[in-house]
Amino acid sequence: MRTVTLVPIALALGLALSACRASAPGDDDPVDTDTDTDTDTDTDTDTDTDTDTDTDTDFDCDVGPADGDSFFGPLTADQVATTNPYTNDAGIAAILAEAPADGEKVAFKPPLQVTKAVVTATNYAPEGSFPATFWFADQNAALRTYDNFNNEDDIIIPEEYTALPAGSVVSFTVSELTNYAGELEITGLDNFVLHDDPAQKVYVVDATDGTQLTYADHGRQIAKLWTEVIEVREPCGTYSCYTVETNGHEYALRIKKEFFEGDCLPIAAPVGTFAGEIQFNISDFDAVGFPF
């Protein structure tokens, strides 16, 4: 409990006459008589108008390279038709209707006929040599061949043919179709003819708009897309393997080139599959552009 001490009369009268003095620390007057009306009118307002806004953001690989409109991998811009699928029925649907299960193959006796299909892509082949692995399409779908180089009787191409440009029109018979880990491949082909028809446009699926590629809808078709390397995988065979992502969709890339996580890559290549995932299996390096 605080103790109040009586103050002498003279001192009390003095306090009454000095009403303007503020109580100071230690004063015994229990009433705060501080009448200080601080009129400090300091109007200093921070008028710093620095408008520097930090615009440094992570680069979005989905946007694509500056010259993206002209990138079509090994194709030239005048070889490409991105909005006009084919109107010719070359017989691809009849072959796909007989597709074997995963890991199996089917023999066609008699062979099935492909008539005037359009070549859309080929494996890399040195100048003057014929790429016996190639992709082709008609109005219904796309398909491919596979030459394992170990058996010359699998894919029989007349020696007179030494090149197969994209857009070429071809006919042949199919004696065998193989399902290799989900990928459908013609492994028996004969009676090949490279027609003199004018070169056709190559139909390309433009997946740069965010379209999700599926093997059921886009298998073996040529697709164009911008991707980011999000994972460097363990080597797959003699190839390097990566996970690439675009617009939230992830695909596998298999190629004999070294890339790094974060690289942005343009791709224009056939849509393949392996063990249940979409895979771009690249032998023609032009199908994957330089990082942008």
Side-chain angles (χ1 to χ4, degrees):
M1 176 180 296
R2 183 177 178 184
T3 302
V4 179
T5 304
L6 295 178
V7 183
I9 295 175
L11 179 58
L13 291 176
L15 289 173
L17 296 175
S18 58
C20 292
R21 185 175 68 84
S23 298
D27 285 350
D28 291 328
D29 187 354
V31 181
D32 183 4
T33 57
D34 183 6
T35 57
D36 180 10
T37 55
D38 183 5
T39 58
D40 181 6
T41 57
D42 180 7
T43 58
D44 179 16
T45 57
D46 185 2
T47 58
D48 181 4
T49 58
D50 179 8
T51 58
D52 178 17
T53 56
D54 185 2
T55 57
D56 182 17
T57 58
D58 292 337
F59 182 78
D60 186 355
C61 292
D62 295 341
V63 174
D67 60 348
D69 289 343
S70 62
F71 178 82
F72 291 99
L75 302 171
T76 61
D78 60 359
Q79 289 179 302
V80 173
T82 58
T83 58
N84 300 308
Y86 302 109
T87 58
N88 173 50
D89 182 356
I92 296 176
I95 299 173
L96 293 177
E98 304 296 329
D102 189 354
E104 298 181 3
K105 61 179 62 178
V106 59
F108 300 122
K109 297 179 180 180
L112 300 181
Q113 180 69 45
V114 171
T115 303
K116 290 199 169 184
V118 179
V119 174
T120 57
T122 69
N123 259 11
Y124 169 77
E127 186 174 352
S129 63
F130 190 93
T133 294
F134 60 90
W135 288 256
F136 56 93
D138 67 5
Q139 67 179 13
N140 297 308
L143 200 44
R144 59 165 296 175
T145 67
Y146 176 74
D147 181 21
N148 62 13
F149 303 104
N150 295 322
N151 189 344
E152 295 181 357
D153 295 331
D154 290 342
I155 307 294
I156 302 174
I157 306 294
E159 293 182 358
E160 63 190 90
Y161 299 126
T162 58
L164 189 62
S168 296
V169 178
V170 298
S171 297
F172 46 85
T173 56
V174 177
S175 58
E176 185 179 79
L177 181 68
T178 298
N179 185 324
Y180 180 74
E183 178 82 341
L184 296 175
E185 305 168 336
I186 291 174
T187 47
L189 179 151
D190 200 355
N191 303 303
F192 181 90
V193 176
L194 176 56
H195 296 284
D196 292 331
D197 294 40
Q200 302 296 300
K201 296 282 189 178
V202 174
Y203 175 62
V204 175
V205 177
D206 187 354
T208 64
D209 63 357
T211 296
Q212 181 172 8
L213 299 171
T214 68
Y215 196 68
D217 294 333
H218 309 103
R220 304 161 304 277
Q221 295 180 356
I222 312 304
K224 169 180 173 176
L225 61 164
W226 317 134
T227 68
E228 178 181 358
V229 176
I230 62 171
E231 179 188 14
V232 178
R233 301 186 181 184
E234 292 295 321
C236 36
T238 59
Y239 284 66
S240 296
C241 276
Y242 308 91
T243 301
V244 296
E245 183 273 338
T246 176
N247 291 290
H249 313 309
E250 295 183 9
Y251 308 116
L253 171 64
R254 183 173 184 263
I255 187 173
K256 290 185 177 181
K257 291 186 74 174
E258 184 179 16
F259 298 115
F260 301 94
E261 189 173 318
D263 280 351
C264 297
L265 304 175
I267 299 175
V271 178
T273 188
F274 182 78
E277 67 178 338
I278 295 294
Q279 182 185 82
F280 295 96
N281 191 4
I282 307 297
S283 72
D284 185 342
F285 289 173
D286 290 338
V288 177
F290 291 108
F292 61 88

